Amino acid sequence: MEEFVNITTIRDELQARLVAAVLEEREIPHVLRSYRDLAFNGVFQGPSIWGRIEAPASRREEILTVIADLDEAVPPPADEG
């Protein structure tokens, strides 16, 4: 099994769920890691980054393409750019 590496950050939970659904549908191995801070009982996360996605490096371009396609279909909120 190929080692998982950091592919990119995920901006919010909606994006995380959408990306995960597409990657699962395409059978692309991945792990979503939230940056939720357990020291504050999970209530604090940075305002612009929810977490990150890890996957085999060989699937990086495919995953980035999925994210770009989803961002076109469901753009980030206006205040996030």
Side-chain angles (χ1 to χ4, degrees):
M1 184 163 155
E2 211 175 327
E3 180 180 344
F4 280 31
V5 298
N6 184 22
I7 301 297
T8 191
T9 57
I10 299 293
R11 73 173 174 265
D12 56 35
E13 189 171 357
L14 174 62
Q15 184 186 41
R17 289 177 188 239
L18 290 171
V19 169
V22 172
L23 297 182
E24 287 167 13
E25 179 180 297
R26 295 183 184 190
E27 298 181 358
I28 298 173
H30 65 282
V31 174
L32 291 172
R33 301 244 187 242
S34 171
Y35 290 153
R36 186 181 327 193
D37 189 340
L38 296 178
F40 295 102
N41 196 26
V43 297
F44 175 77
Q45 286 178 306
S48 62
I49 300 178
W50 178 87
R52 69 177 186 259
I53 187 162
E54 297 176 0
S58 63
R59 308 300 290 266
R60 178 185 306 274
E61 290 305 315
E62 188 175 2
I63 292 168
L64 294 176
T65 298
V66 165
I67 292 170
D69 290 347
L70 287 171
D71 281 349
E72 282 186 31
V74 182
D79 62 336
E80 291 186 24

